[in-house]
Amino acid sequence: MESEVCSVASGPSIHFAPSVATSATSHDWEMRSASPAPSMYSVTSSLRAASYRHEYGRGINNYSEVYRLPADDEEFERLDHQHLMFMEVMGRYPPPLPEILADDTPGVTKTCVDLGCGSGSWILDVARDFPHCSAVAVDLVPMQDVNMPPNCRSEVDDINLGLQHFYGAFNVAHARLVSSGIRDYKGLIDEMAQTLRPRGLIQLVEFDFRVYDVNKRPIMPSQLDEETPWVARWMNMVNIAVEQRGGEPDAANHLHHWLSTHPDLEEAVYREFWFQTGPWKHGDDPYTARDNRIGAMMRDDILAFLKSGRPLLLSNGLDIAMVDELETNAERELINASAQTYIRVQNVYARRIAY
């Protein structure tokens, strides 16, 4: 089968993690552009065009029928802002990462991969914070950053096809909010574990495409009535659409079990984070003020996500009038902070056993 892998690197030659034939992919495309900076590589216009198609006014990846959220500049801007919100609440990195990526072994290049990297915010931070490391970004479309560090490489690939070409290559393997594009998330964990060197770190962050009420109970489709918040109705439609496309919207709720019982992993740590969907708390104490500030950031993320989810819902057969009604009412509800609801984000990290 013809390969769909391409690599984008920047800067002078350095020791990257190996990239060879994938399970179903791998011809390299020449990507050196006429960039003003001779060391910069970027995707030519023809290759970039081959990576996308336009649906309902948004740029969608051209390789996966499972992942149908946009991969355009508007979506990458949303993900960049979301990254800042996550860093403030969850911390920049999981606690073991700095020690794992420390430059403490002569002759050994530490390595990190970000699977489904999106805009690349997380892996770019890693590349800049650990300049001695080799950082690899993998997604369905090429990562484009005019300031890509010299130790960072971007590869285009569908991780549903397997990661055999990366086995034993990394000290850290990271994936965040990829469940909507993954057919078999438990299988992805198996693959990610195989990419790790002994005592390497796997880090996963997901949410379950649900909205939770003020008592932190999920608002399910069976509970829909006139009082159901519009943002919950919209999110339930997205959940259904993701599942019908072949993704695993519920993967977040299984991460802890999957990692803590995996035979190749140990020291699993589970964390959950509750994000208000808006600045709806009352009070002027510092804790309430911080919760409302983070809630405003999540509100803005969801407002942008309403636009991002539109192609998914419409391509899944929902009537445009229904999508418009859901979107308009959810937007009004979010702006007015009239519904006291939460988004639950779950994070699990673990170490590969020494062998």
Side-chain angles (χ1 to χ4, degrees):
M1 180 176 179
E2 189 180 26
S3 155
E4 293 175 352
V5 168
C6 68
S7 297
V8 186
S10 73
S13 175
I14 77 166
H15 297 291
F16 285 108
S19 176
V20 293
T22 73
S23 57
T25 64
S26 176
H27 69 264
D28 285 346
W29 292 336
E30 176 57 43
M31 296 183 209
R32 186 182 292 274
S33 71
S35 168
S39 64
M40 289 296 295
Y41 288 72
S42 63
V43 176
T44 63
S45 58
S46 60
L47 291 176
R48 187 172 177 82
S51 299
Y52 298 89
R53 66 172 178 259
H54 282 82
E55 293 182 2
Y56 305 102
R58 299 298 297 269
I60 308 293
N61 86 85
N62 214 18
Y63 299 120
S64 172
E65 290 301 321
V66 181
Y67 187 78
R68 305 313 296 155
L69 294 174
D72 52 20
D73 290 343
E74 185 177 344
E75 178 70 354
F76 290 162
E77 182 178 1
R78 180 182 77 86
L79 295 177
D80 285 341
H81 289 298
Q82 182 189 80
H83 175 65
L84 296 175
M85 175 182 67
F86 281 166
M87 276 200 305
E88 179 163 353
V89 175
M90 303 169 65
R92 193 170 184 87
Y93 303 117
L97 185 145
E99 180 182 353
I100 292 170
L101 291 184
D103 188 12
D104 57 4
T105 310
V108 176
T109 300
K110 299 293 183 70
T111 54
C112 179
V113 66
D114 189 6
L115 300 168
C117 66
S119 65
S121 296
W122 189 88
I123 194 66
L124 288 171
D125 278 352
V126 171
R128 292 170 183 137
D129 290 344
F130 303 92
H132 56 277
C133 292
S134 165
V136 181
V138 180
D139 209 321
L140 291 163
V141 298
M143 187 177 71
Q144 288 287 282
D145 191 295
V146 295
N147 297 311
M148 188 183 290
N151 60 325
C152 190
R153 182 180 79 238
S154 171
E155 294 200 4
V156 175
D157 202 358
D158 182 352
I159 60 178
N160 284 300
L161 300 176
L163 302 173
Q164 291 90 333
H165 55 305
F166 283 143
Y167 281 5
F170 297 106
N171 298 97
V172 175
H174 171 270
R176 183 170 74 191
L177 302 186
V178 300
S179 66
S180 64
I182 302 301
R183 294 188 184 95
D184 176 11
Y185 206 109
K186 188 173 185 290
L188 173 63
I189 291 172
D190 292 336
E191 290 289 291
M192 291 178 71
Q194 291 297 313
T195 71
L196 292 175
R197 297 170 178 172
R199 298 295 291 158
L201 178 74
I202 180 173
Q203 150 95 338
L204 301 171
V205 179
E206 298 292 346
F207 91 113
D208 59 1
F209 292 86
R210 298 292 183 199
V211 173
Y212 288 71
D213 66 21
V214 70
N215 296 310
K216 299 181 178 177
R217 297 172 302 194
I219 303 172
M220 307 298 286
S222 59
Q223 300 170 256
L224 297 185
D225 55 39
E226 291 184 2
E227 303 302 317
T228 300
W230 283 97
V231 68
R233 302 184 196 202
W234 181 87
M235 193 70 77
N236 282 328
M237 289 296 183
V238 172
N239 184 298
I240 293 168
V242 166
E243 186 170 20
Q244 289 180 348
R245 279 283 180 179
E248 286 200 62
D250 193 45
N253 298 321
H254 304 285
L255 293 184
H256 188 208
H257 174 72
W258 286 338
L259 265 68
S260 62
T261 60
H262 197 285
D264 295 326
L265 301 173
E266 61 185 359
E267 300 175 24
V269 175
Y270 173 79
R271 304 189 297 173
E272 67 176 11
F273 303 89
W274 295 92
F275 292 81
Q276 295 172 207
T277 58
W280 46 257
K281 281 188 178 177
H282 299 290
D284 54 7
D285 62 278
Y287 296 105
T288 299
R290 181 182 184 275
D291 288 347
N292 282 337
R293 181 171 55 79
I294 299 299
M297 296 171 73
M298 177 55 83
R299 173 203 61 200
D300 293 344
D301 182 65
I302 301 173
L303 285 170
F305 192 39
L306 293 175
K307 309 299 182 185
S308 299
R310 189 175 179 85
L312 170 66
L313 295 177
L314 292 174
S315 65
N316 219 48
L318 264 69
D319 181 74
I320 190 170
M322 175 183 290
V323 175
D324 286 345
E325 180 185 27
L326 287 166
E327 189 177 310
T328 298
N329 285 291
E331 183 177 89
R332 181 184 304 113
E333 182 179 86
L334 288 164
I335 291 172
N336 294 334
S338 57
Q340 297 185 359
T341 50
Y342 288 97
I343 297 293
R344 180 191 187 197
V345 176
Q346 300 182 66
N347 165 225
V348 187
Y349 59 87
R351 305 289 294 271
R352 171 121 199 202
I353 59 173
Y355 54 89

